[in-house]
Amino acid sequence: LGRTNYDVDHATTIADFDAVASPAVHSLYYLESRLPDGDGLELVSRLRRAGTTLPIMVVSSRTDTTERIRGLDAGADDYLCKPFSVNELLARTRALLRRPPLAASAQIKAGKLTFDFETGAFAIDGKPILLSPGERRLLSVLMRRLGRIVSRESLVISLQGAYSEATPNALDQQISRLRKTIVPNTMGVQLLTVRGSGYVLQECGVMGNA
C-alpha cells in the first residue's frame, strides 16, 4: 500500500489501533479477524456502534461462509480471504475509496501550517508552499501522525511512493531538506528526532522526549 502512494498507519493490536485510529485522518480501516488482544470482528461492531462511517475491510484466514457472513453483519464493507492477490486488495481498496467522503473536515492544522489530506496541498497562513515529492510524502505522514513518533521504517516505506528506490540514506537526505523548509519561528511547528525510534512533528511549545 505504501508503495502505491497510500499513507499507512500500522497497528498490531486492538489497543494500538485505538491509539492511532482517527476518522479525521484516515479513509479506510483494514482489520484482521484474529488479533492478539481480541476479536477483530467484535472491534468492527464496536466501531459501528460508536458511529464510525469509514469503510472497513476485514482480512482473514477464516474462509468459511459463516465467518464471512458474521464479518459483514458486524458492519464490515468487504471481507477478503487469505491468501489473496495484492492486485485484488488494491482493486477492492479503490472501490471502497470511491465512496463520497463523510469526514467533516479534510484539513489538519499545526501552528501556521495547514495540510489538506484530500488534495495533498500544504499552506502557511493560507499561502501554498512548494515541496519536492519526497518532502511532501514525509510531511503528509508526519502531519497525519502529528505529535506521535513515526518510525524510520515507516518513513522509508512512505518515500517509496515518491522514489522507486528509497533507502535509509535517502530518508536522511529528505529529512534534512524538510528541516530547512520547516522554520519553527515562522510555521509554529518543529521536526524532532527521537533517538532509536524515529521522528515526531509537533507544535512549538509542546514538551517532548526528543
Side-chain angles (χ1 to χ4, degrees), residues 67-143:
E67 196 66 16
R68 283 181 284 167
I69 291 173
R70 178 174 169 244
L72 295 171
D73 284 345
D77 297 275
D78 199 357
Y79 192 108
L80 185 58
C81 296
K82 299 179 181 179
F84 55 81
S85 161
V86 172
N87 287 333
E88 181 181 2
L89 172 68
L90 293 173
R92 289 178 182 238
T93 295
R94 291 191 295 269
L96 291 175
L97 292 178
R98 280 196 289 268
R99 298 181 177 183
L102 298 176
S105 174
Q107 292 187 338
I108 305 171
K109 188 172 183 180
K112 298 179 181 180
L113 178 65
T114 302
F115 171 51
D116 186 315
F117 57 82
E118 286 189 350
T119 65
F122 292 89
I124 301 175
D125 282 339
K127 298 179 180 179
I129 58 174
L130 297 178
L131 299 170
S132 70
E135 290 171 332
R136 187 166 58 251
R137 291 289 297 175
L138 290 179
L139 191 53
S140 67
V141 172
L142 291 164
M143 283 289 281

Side-chain angles (χ1 to χ4, degrees), residues 31-35 38-42 44 58-76 78-81:
L31 294 176
E32 290 269 1
S33 61
R34 296 178 179 177
L35 294 166
D39 187 336
L41 301 188
E42 291 181 2
V44 174
V58 171
V59 180
S60 177
S61 58
R62 297 174 176 174
T63 60
D64 57 282
T65 302
T66 300
E67 196 66 16
R68 283 181 284 167
I69 291 173
R70 178 174 169 244
L72 295 171
D73 284 345
D78 199 357
Y79 192 108
L80 185 58
C81 296

Side-chain angles (χ1 to χ4, degrees), residues 36-47:
D37 55 348
D39 187 336
L41 301 188
E42 291 181 2
L43 174 57
V44 174
S45 295
R46 173 161 66 82
L47 289 169

